[in-house]
Amino acid sequence: MPIPTADFDQARLQAQQAEQLRVAEFTAGRETALRQVREQQLADAQAQLVKERERTKAALDAAQAERAARDEKAYQAGLAQGKKLFNQKKYAEALAAFQAANHLKQTDDANKMIALTTERQAEGLGKAEQDKLAAARLAREAAAATAKQNEDRYKAALQAAQQALAAKNYDAAQNDRLDH
């Protein structure tokens, strides 16, 4: 009796197709698992990057607050020292203390004390010295105006860079930092 080869061929073809299907399913499953692992790694890296940015921002904010507190303390100490020296009629030393305080933080109080100290100092000096003090006062006022302009430009540049950084425009943030 002859063996029906058509049935064997059919069975072999079905077995090959079943094997190909199993291989394709296995490959697809493995690729899906790898894609999920990569996506999870990407999400973890992005979360870590966000945390690092937050830590860096917090550290910068803390350093800035610490510097501001230190400057405020030094300003208050300079102003107090200047007032003490002013009351002792040590106008040259008082003027130096007020100018140092004013350098840390420009306020009306410090500017008024500088002007008052300069006036009192001038009252005790001759006309030539008064002219010299007036010229020094004008130079100080011009320097204060320039310092104020520089501070305003710095703040504007810092704000522009922070906005660019917040917008993730790192090239613009870097350029703003370097241009100003």
Side-chain angles (χ1 to χ4, degrees):
M1 186 161 143
I3 300 177
T5 59
D7 289 340
F8 286 128
D9 290 340
Q10 179 81 16
R12 188 174 340 128
L13 182 62
Q14 287 177 348
Q16 285 176 348
Q17 288 175 345
E19 180 62 24
Q20 288 174 349
L21 182 61
R22 278 193 301 274
V23 168
E25 287 175 348
F26 175 76
T27 303
R30 190 173 61 186
E31 287 176 2
T32 300
L34 285 173
R35 186 174 3 91
Q36 288 173 345
V37 167
R38 287 185 196 124
E39 287 173 358
Q40 183 61 45
Q41 289 172 340
L42 177 61
D44 291 346
Q46 287 173 336
Q48 186 177 5
L49 182 59
V50 167
K51 287 180 184 178
E52 183 62 30
R53 284 182 182 156
E54 289 171 355
R55 279 194 300 269
T56 301
K57 184 179 181 331
L60 288 174
D61 290 345
Q64 190 175 24
E66 181 181 320
R67 180 176 175 219
R70 187 177 56 243
D71 286 353
E72 178 65 24
K73 185 177 179 181
Y75 165 78
Q76 292 296 336
L79 204 57
Q81 180 69 19
K83 287 179 181 180
K84 178 182 173 187
L85 291 167
F86 181 85
N87 290 334
Q88 295 172 356
K89 299 188 187 318
K90 296 180 180 179
Y91 299 122
E93 294 90 350
L95 183 60
F98 290 136
Q99 287 175 336
N102 195 46
H103 178 71
L104 291 170
K105 181 178 173 185
Q106 292 187 3
T107 63
D108 289 337
D109 191 25
N111 285 328
K112 287 177 187 175
M113 291 306 297
I114 289 171
L116 183 60
T117 303
T118 304
E119 286 176 25
R120 294 284 171 88
Q121 196 175 24
E123 289 172 359
L125 301 174
K127 177 67 175 151
E129 288 294 321
Q130 288 180 0
D131 292 342
K132 189 177 178 183
L133 287 174
R137 187 184 83 237
L138 291 175
R140 182 191 53 78
E141 289 172 356
T146 302
K148 179 67 174 151
Q149 289 173 343
N150 288 341
E151 182 180 355
D152 291 343
R153 285 195 343 239
Y154 170 77
K155 287 179 181 178
L158 181 61
Q159 184 179 12
Q162 287 173 340
Q163 289 172 348
L165 185 62
K168 297 184 181 179
N169 187 351
Y170 301 116
D171 290 336
Q174 182 73 12
N175 289 339
D176 282 344
R177 184 181 67 79
L178 294 174
D179 290 344
H180 303 287

